[in-house]
Every structure is written in C-alpha cells, then in structure tokens.
Amino acid sequence: MHGHDLSPSTIAVGAGRPDRVPGGPLNAPITLASALVPGGASEYGRQGNPTWDSFETVLGALEGGRALAFASGIAATTALFDLVPAKAAVVAPRHAYYGTIAQLQERARRGQIELRLVDIDNTQQVIDASESAALVWIESPTNPSLEIADIEAITRASARSGTAVAVDNTFATPLRQRPLDLGADFVVHSASKLLSGHSDVILGAVVTNSDRAHDAIQKRRTMLGAIPGAMETWLAARGIRTLHVRLDRAESNARELHKRLSASRHITRCRYPGFGTIIAFEVVAGADVAQKMTEQSDIITYATSLGGVESTWERRRRHPGEPSSVPESLIRLSVGIEDVEDLWIDIRNVLATFN
Ligand SMILES: *Cc1c(COP(=O)(O)O)cnc(C)c1O
C-alpha cells in the first residue's frame, strides 16, 4: 500500500489501530471482559483481550517481531526465565536492573540454574561465559551504570553455541536499538518506563520473531496468570503514540545536561551513553550530600523509576538491593521534557546549596 518502509515515527503513531469503519473509534476501546464469545482468538480474559492487541501490535511493529504484554517488566522477565532448562547456566550483567538480578540469584540459590555474572561491556568475558549456557541476558545500557554491550558480537558467538540471547531494551527503546535485528532471540521491556512515558502504568512485554518462542511465552503467560490489565495496555499504546517526540526532546535535554554536569567541579564520572534519557553521576562531596541534593530539588522530583515526561532523580544506593559496586554517591537522573534551562537552574541551585 505504501510502497516503502514506514519510518518508526509513523509506525508509532499508526500501528495497532482498529480497522477504519464508519462511526468506529480511531483508538482501540478499553475492553473489560473476563468471558468472551467463543469462536474468536480468546474466550477467557486470562488468554487474551482485544485491548492488549493494540499495544502488542504497535510494540511488535517497532521492534520487528511479535510482542506479548505482561503484568509488569518483571512478569515478562519471569516468563522468559521459566523457559530456561533445569540446572542450565544463565549469563547476566553484574549491574542489570536489580530486580532481575535478585530473581536470578534466588533461582541459583535454589539450585534451579547456574548464574554467571559478567561485565557486560567486556565482550570477550561475556562470550567466554556464554559457552555451554542456555541464556545470555543483556541489558544495554545497564541500570544504573550505563554500560554498553556489543549485542551483535554476543549474538554472533551465541548462535555458534546455540545459546539464546535476550535483551532488556527498556533504556534504549526500539527507536534507538532493535536487538532482534542484531540477532537477539528475545527483547524484554518494562513498559512502565519510556514506552508508557507518564509514570502512571506498570506493564511489561516480551518480543520475539520466532513463532515457536512466541507460542511458548504466550502459554507461560496464561499458565502463570501474569497478564496485564486492559487499562494499562491502553495507556501504554497511547504513550507509544508520542514516544518519538518525547524521546527526541528528553534526549536533547540529556545531552545538554550531561555537558554541563561534566564541567561541574562538584560532580565526577558523569556517564551518558550518547543516546537515551538517563544520566548517572557521582557527587564529589559524598553520599550524604548526594542524598540531600535529590531531596531538595524544586523542579526535578525525588523519585525512583524513570522514563516519564517529568524529570526524576535518586541516589541509587538508598535501595538496599543495589549492588555494592554501584558507588554510594551515584545519582541516577531521568531527564524529562521540561525546558532545559529550568532544569539546569534547579540542578545548579542544589549544587550551590550543598557543595
Ligand atoms: C523498571 C525496570 C524493570 C522492571 O520492570 P517493572 O515494570 O518495574 O516490573 C526491568 N528492567 C529495567 C531496565 C527497568 O528499568
């Protein structure tokens, strides 16, 4: 119909809408149903819901695969980890989202898997560890250290050893990184972050381009009951409609703030991978000052989570589960779409007050 490949912005706006029928809505309605009339794709609300389809279609189209929505990012992760055979080895980054690592560590403690933690930006170390492993779990950029994995080199090596590769693409979004194109078998999202984008949804997804893997994950979702609510998928599909605009704006803010933070004598090791909306930096004066700074800002909200239109920040080590290799004074800043000068004045003021 179009005669050319549509750009991601056009897909974000247009994919997953209902057929155009006179008098019909432009957006998928919110279908609240436990039971559906037999003969269709689903007849019970745990198996499927028409509102999920809209979110799954647009996310799948952006990632270049087929998506399945889950109750949360962690529910999506759990479904995938459940497919790892008993006693098999899983390779994962030392600094991945700590809920992910905590789950892997518990599975290892119970003797269900063998866990091999690696520095994900050390490609050779990852490849060596993935020998004879069932799954390599990649997060790139990592949370909160913002390390970058060479996804393509890792998937190439894993293809030779028959190891599955999954990429948590929460920080990059399909607009900055398409892991399936780079050879990954699975993409996992916390749609609670940039995809929904307004800090009002908990939702996750798995995307794959293998029909067999898709069916296995879908079966897992139904069996575990790790299903999303209709409202959450509706909100996330609505969020994706503006993802490209929000991301462009937040990213340009992040680039500018990274430049200015890097020049501040109160800040050290300011990390920004060159794309995305997350900056991490350490406060020279230490953890107490870093904690006070985050609690006293005016425009930037002191809060966990990330990827919303509003800027938020926190000292990550305030969470007891964060690994001790994350520095005590490290602040993770999620840059929103406010005016960058207002954000900088806010940061400059707290830097001046506490340093
Ligand atoms: C938030 C987050 C998760 C967990 O997702 P939930 O939706 O909170 O369950 C997983 N990975 C990354 C990178 C995250 O930021």
Side-chain angles (χ1 to χ4, degrees), residues 94-95 317 319-329:
R94 219 176 289 293
H95 294 137
R317 284 291 296 282
H319 301 286
E322 196 74 356
S324 57
S325 49
V326 172
E328 280 279 7
S329 75

Side-chain angles (χ1 to χ4, degrees), residues 71-154:
S72 64
I74 284 293
T77 304
T78 302
L80 197 51
F81 289 165
D82 276 352
L83 297 183
V84 173
K87 312 279 184 205
V90 175
V91 179
R94 219 176 289 293
H95 294 137
Y97 181 74
Y98 74 78
T100 305
I101 299 303
Q103 185 174 155
L104 286 171
Q105 282 169 332
E106 180 173 317
R107 284 172 189 253
R109 255 196 317 274
R110 291 181 169 194
Q112 296 166 346
I113 59 160
E114 179 202 333
L115 177 58
R116 300 175 182 168
L117 291 178
V118 293
D119 299 310
I120 205 70
D121 53 357
N122 182 337
T123 306
Q124 196 53 50
Q125 198 189 106
V126 179
I127 289 172
D128 291 346
S130 62
E131 189 100 350
S132 76
L135 175 69
V136 177
W137 181 269
I138 296 176
E139 194 176 287
S140 184
T142 58
N143 179 19
S145 309
L146 302 175
E147 296 132 321
I148 297 290
D150 185 343
I151 296 174
E152 209 166 2
I154 295 168

Side-chain angles (χ1 to χ4, degrees), residues 72-74 97 139 143 168 170-171 190 192-193 202-203 306:
S72 64
I74 284 293
Y97 181 74
E139 194 176 287
N143 179 19
D168 183 332
T170 300
F171 275 33
S190 170
S192 320
K193 315 292 167 56
I202 295 287
L203 188 73
L306 54 101

